[in-house]
Amino acid sequence: MSKIVIKGGSNLHGEVNISAAKNSVLPIIAASILSGDKCIIDNVPMLEDVFVISNILKSISADVTIDKKLNKIIIDTSNISYCDPCSELVKKMRASFLIMGPMISRFGGFKLCLPGGCNIGTRPIDLHLKGFAALGAKVNVEHGFVEAKAKKLIGNKIYLDFPSVGATENIMMAAVTAEGETIIENAAEEPEIKDLADFLNSMGANITGAGSRAIHIKGVKNLKGSSHSPICDRIESGTFMVAAAITKSKIRINGINEEYLKPIIAKLTEAGVYIRCEGNSLIVDGNRELNPIDIKTMPYPGFPTDMQSQVTGLLSTVKGTSIVTETIFENRFMHVMEMKRMGANIKIDGRSAVIEGVDKLTGAEVKATDLRAGAALILCGLAAEGKTEVIDIYHIDRGYVDIEKKLKLLGADIERVNE
Ligand code: UD1
């Protein structure tokens, strides 16, 4: 088992380069199924989740070549067949379910075991299934498997009860070859949705409005192979912004898109962090007195739930009372228990965390309970007095490329220890 060991108190300085977005590349890899041809994805973050979805594709006979040096994946889906993907792999992560839409589109149906993923809430898939049914598929959930069958998919108007990212992507991918027009209303607006639509359009799809509340998809006969370079990771960017703030340091973050970061920039600026954008870079200076703030997570363009634990960690070091309300996932405060081991003063009241800033955090052995919680604990460790050991870091490896190496380059006293 590996762990990350941090000696807190170092000042960070210098520059860090942001990788491409995990949440873009996973649906894009799933979308390659639609081509029945060769797709090339560049600038791929070499992450555990990327290897999992690539292996799922291999388990249904796709030919996947991963070039770790060039950060490139070549996927040939011409030999994919309607067969069972490896359930062990599918259960590892929720994004596995994103192959369902493309498989239904290409083969008129598919059977997949219910997915797994971070333990941050019940995470149902009802909205995905309602969308497939609205397109004319017969959907059945039995013995832990979902089966969808459709003689023909027909475009429809689909109103999502909640702007789910995964449901928007899955329905969009199922609908690209449906007869006629599909309109997804109350769709998720995350930048990764637009990135997926751009890739699908480059394959020959006819999608407009992605990135807004209403997505229009005009069905096409078939799609062809294409190449794509996914957008930058706004959550990794935000994590490094908090790293600067929590260590009272000034760093430069390269390869960002200011537009995607607006909700994070707004809240950190409100807390008193100095942030300046220079093209595709951000200068973040946390070396000043910060104020407590209140935050509520919301679908994009609101404050992202994937930044909630990192900011909770930061606010636990800011004098005064802050309130963080989680509206997206009902079980996303597991990091609070771990932060308390480090001396944080946080009380959970329903969906809110009431945070009383403490003078200092102290190093402790803490457990990464999920991907972003793990990153948040590393950030707390950077600011804490003494040594912090973060265990169960396999969660962190699912979503951050070389996080400890990037922080070390910035001057942190941090290392991965393989036991
Ligand atoms: C995606 C992101 C994840 C992020 C989340 C919210 C990927 C690979 N993952 O996850 O990092 O935290 O968006 O920004 O892109 N829901 C339902 N029924 C459904 C689907 C969702 O009730 O059929 C609920 C979920 O339980 C949750 C909320 O909708 O409470 C948001 O989930 P969703 O937007 O679907 O998240 P994911 O796509 O799983």
Side-chain angles (χ1 to χ4, degrees):
M1 290 286 264
S2 306
K3 60 185 177 186
I4 287 180
V5 181
I6 308 140
K7 285 204 189 92
S10 301
N11 198 259
L12 304 186
H13 48 85
E15 309 187 6
V16 61
N17 296 328
I18 296 305
S19 301
K22 164 182 91 76
N23 288 352
S24 260
V25 81
L26 298 178
I28 283 169
I29 292 175
S32 69
I33 292 172
L34 288 160
S35 73
D37 198 351
K38 198 190 264 183
C39 291
I40 301 173
I41 323 293
D42 285 306
N43 191 27
V44 176
M46 290 296 155
L47 296 165
E48 217 24 65
D49 276 7
V50 168
F51 302 139
V52 171
I53 198 154
S54 299
N55 285 332
I56 292 173
L57 257 63
K58 281 185 191 170
S59 78
I60 50 174
S61 304
D63 188 359
V64 185
T65 311
I66 300 180
D67 188 328
K68 289 188 182 172
K69 277 208 181 106
L70 292 177
N71 293 328
K72 185 194 274 268
I73 298 193
I74 301 169
I75 310 164
D76 185 342
T77 59
S78 51
N79 291 325
I80 277 191
S81 56
Y82 185 138
C83 62
D84 285 346
C86 172
S87 293
E88 283 291 289
L89 290 169
V90 173
K91 284 182 190 158
K92 275 192 172 179
M93 103 184 150
R94 184 172 165 86
S96 322
F97 202 63
L98 293 172
I99 68 169
M100 196 78 192
M103 288 301 278
I104 299 172
S105 165
R106 189 159 156 199
F107 294 100
F110 198 51
K111 188 175 171 188
L112 192 64
C113 73
L114 290 163
C118 274
N119 187 22
I120 52 179
T122 49
R123 306 188 85 178
I125 45 161
D126 57 317
L127 300 174
H128 303 234
L129 304 187
K130 274 192 204 167
F132 299 149
L135 296 173
K138 270 208 161 122
V139 181
N140 244 322
V141 181
E142 259 177 10
H143 308 295
F145 282 80
V146 178
E147 186 164 29
K149 282 186 191 157
K151 281 207 180 85
K152 186 182 194 182
L153 292 175
I154 297 177
N156 203 347
K157 217 175 196 182
I158 298 165
Y159 184 92
L160 294 179
D161 298 345
F162 183 89
S164 153
V165 173
T168 302
E169 292 169 342
N170 233 341
I171 297 167
M172 194 160 80
M173 292 190 281
V176 282
T177 56
E179 190 180 289
E181 189 178 23
T182 298
I183 302 174
I184 309 176
E185 288 181 307
N186 200 28
E189 296 174 284
E190 270 70 0
E192 294 78 19
I193 308 270
K194 163 94 171 45
D195 200 24
L196 173 62
D198 287 346
F199 177 55
L200 291 167
N201 283 340
S202 76
M203 295 162 82
N206 185 347
I207 303 172
T208 50
S212 77
R213 274 279 184 261
I215 302 178
H216 292 245
I217 305 146
K218 288 202 176 108
V220 296
K221 282 250 161 354
N222 41 44
L223 281 82
K224 58 182 190 311
S226 184
S227 55
H228 192 74
S229 183
I231 58 170
C232 59
D233 196 315
R234 63 198 162 93
I235 305 302
E236 189 196 20
S237 314
T239 302
F240 279 96
M241 290 165 75
V242 174
I246 204 169
T247 57
K248 300 207 162 293
S249 306
K250 183 177 177 186
I251 63 170
R252 185 183 180 93
I253 306 174
N254 299 324
I256 60 96
N257 184 321
E258 187 187 11
E259 183 65 29
Y260 308 157
L261 292 173
K262 273 186 177 165
I264 305 171
I265 293 174
K267 290 318 277 188
L268 291 181
T269 303
E270 187 185 328
V273 181
Y274 173 80
I275 301 167
R276 191 176 79 243
C277 185
E278 283 180 5
N280 290 333
S281 299
L282 276 188
I283 316 295
V284 183
D285 188 352
N287 189 14
R288 49 200 67 221
E289 195 68 30
L290 300 188
N291 333 298
I293 50 166
D294 294 343
I295 287 186
K296 199 185 247 186
T297 64
M298 299 289 272
Y300 189 86
F303 190 85
T305 173
D306 283 354
M307 280 302 298
Q308 181 259 105
S309 44
Q310 300 90 315
V311 170
T312 298
L314 169 66
L315 294 174
S316 73
T317 66
V318 175
K319 208 168 162 190
T321 310
S322 298
I323 299 179
V324 172
T325 304
E326 172 60 57
T327 75
I328 308 293
F329 292 110
E330 69 277 16
N331 192 21
R332 206 167 199 183
F333 280 127
M334 297 208 302
H335 45 278
V336 165
M337 193 58 216
E338 303 302 308
M339 287 175 185
K340 281 180 159 182
R341 289 182 209 282
M342 303 178 75
N345 181 357
I346 308 173
K347 285 194 186 75
I348 302 298
D349 182 7
R351 289 207 143 189
S352 295
V354 181
I355 307 164
E356 289 296 337
V358 291
D359 287 339
K360 63 170 186 200
L361 295 173
T362 51
E365 183 182 292
V366 288
K367 194 194 270 197
T369 49
D370 67 66
L371 163 55
R372 307 300 170 186
L377 292 169
I378 291 180
L379 299 179
C380 289
L382 295 175
E385 186 180 276
K387 186 165 88 170
T388 296
E389 294 191 2
V390 185
I391 61 168
D392 285 0
I393 58 169
Y394 57 89
H395 286 294
I396 304 171
D397 293 335
R398 291 186 43 210
Y400 288 91
V401 179
D402 294 337
I403 189 167
E404 77 283 6
K405 288 186 189 148
K406 289 187 181 185
L407 285 167
K408 207 182 177 88
L409 276 174
L410 288 171
D413 187 339
I414 181 169
E415 61 184 341
R416 178 179 293 252
V417 177
N418 297 314
E419 287 181 337

